[in-house]
Amino acid sequence: QKEVEQNSGPLSVPEGAIASLNCTYSDRGSQSFFWYRQYSGKSPELIMFIYSNGDKEDGRFTAQLNKASQYVSLLIRDSQPSDSATYLCAVITYDMRFGAGTRLTVKP
Amino acid sequence: EAQVTQNPRYLITVTGKKLTVTCSQNMNHEYMSWYRQDPGLGLRQIYYSMNVEVTDKGDVPEGYKVSRKEKRNFPLILESPSPNQTSLYFCASRGAHGYTFGSGTRLTVV
């Protein structure tokens, strides 16, 4: 079992819709959770981090964490074509582990 | 501006010719790491360093070396590159809220 798993996609949503990206992790001792956005050929950039169960909102982005289910998600409201990218879930246990990423396409 | 500077951005080399990819951070972070990224495999950690003179292997260390003589610098060394090391490489520096990545080095070994 991979330490951090994501649906590779591609996930396609129309402009203005909500995009929902999901991630599960295997280590119950994981403490910190991150979402990175990566455009093709570019470096990953941090969008959000979350440490506690529940929701954390930042603009159009909401991260949701459920430690009991070992599940973290990212919601993107009012999706824009510029949101089209690969989204990486990352989890810190003793080190930071990345999922393989979900490719999101937002169609105008 | 807080950043991780990685050079070169692009590099084409021949099998067996030693090369070094430089990485420098200006955030005074103790923890630095090197990753390679290949299609379908995501980011895989090559080596990491928890502080000056403290380095350790990641998941895919074979064929690579690193050094950490100063806190800000963490170069990646390929003593004898091979075609299977063709990849996109990222240096990263870890602070309180996750990693800051360098801009990447696209390496091609022919």
Side-chain angles (χ1 to χ4, degrees):
Chain A
Q1 182 187 7
K2 292 182 180 178
E3 293 176 86
V4 182
E5 295 211 49
Q6 296 180 252
N7 187 326
S8 62
L11 173 66
S12 181
V13 301
E15 184 175 356
I18 296 175
S20 178
L21 304 161
N22 304 316
C23 172
T24 58
Y25 59 94
S26 60
D27 190 335
R28 286 194 171 275
S30 301
Q31 296 295 320
S32 309
F33 308 86
F34 303 83
W35 283 99
Y36 286 83
R37 176 177 63 200
Q38 186 178 24
Y39 294 110
S40 180
K42 304 295 186 182
S43 59
E45 54 179 328
L46 181 67
I47 300 175
M48 294 197 67
F49 56 88
I50 184 167
Y51 302 147
S52 304
N53 271 335
D55 296 0
K56 179 181 179 182
E57 187 174 317
D58 184 0
R60 296 186 296 112
F61 299 95
T62 299
Q64 299 175 317
L65 175 61
N66 183 326
K67 288 188 176 181
S69 300
Q70 296 176 242
Y71 177 92
V72 59
S73 66
L74 179 71
L75 300 178
I76 306 175
R77 289 181 300 280
D78 188 24
S79 295
Q80 301 296 309
S82 59
D83 294 326
S84 298
T86 296
Y87 289 80
L88 304 174
C89 173
V91 174
I92 288 183
T93 51
Y94 62 94
D95 192 9
M96 183 174 277
R97 294 294 178 177
F98 289 86
T102 298
R103 194 190 323 170
L104 171 67
T105 300
V106 180
K107 295 186 175 180
Chain B
E1 179 189 353
Q3 60 185 1
V4 177
T5 302
Q6 193 180 329
N7 282 298
R9 290 293 308 277
Y10 301 92
L11 179 59
I12 300 175
T13 191
V14 297
T15 299
K17 185 176 181 181
K18 180 180 178 179
L19 65 91
T20 299
V21 184
T22 63
C23 175
S24 180
Q25 51 98 359
N26 63 0
M27 296 165 280
N28 202 37
H29 289 164
E30 293 181 346
Y31 191 107
M32 297 183 72
S33 185
W34 275 102
Y35 288 88
R36 62 177 288 175
Q37 188 173 39
D38 302 288
L41 297 178
L43 284 163
R44 294 183 293 169
Q45 191 179 50
I46 302 170
Y47 268 94
Y48 64 94
S49 169
M50 299 186 75
N51 213 327
V52 176
E53 301 292 1
V54 181
T55 63
D56 208 348
K57 297 177 181 178
D59 298 318
V60 288
E62 293 77 21
Y64 305 95
K65 286 176 57 177
V66 293
S67 69
R68 188 91 182 274
K69 295 185 171 61
E70 314 161 272
K71 185 181 274 192
R72 63 183 292 122
N73 295 324
F74 190 43
L76 179 70
I77 303 154
L78 284 73
E79 294 267 359
S80 182
S82 62
N84 65 10
Q85 293 178 297
T86 293
S87 187
L88 179 58
Y89 292 85
F90 290 106
C91 179
S93 171
R94 195 169 100 186
H97 299 303
Y99 278 122
T100 300
F101 285 86
S103 53
T105 296
R106 188 168 291 281
L107 172 66
T108 302
V109 184
V110 298

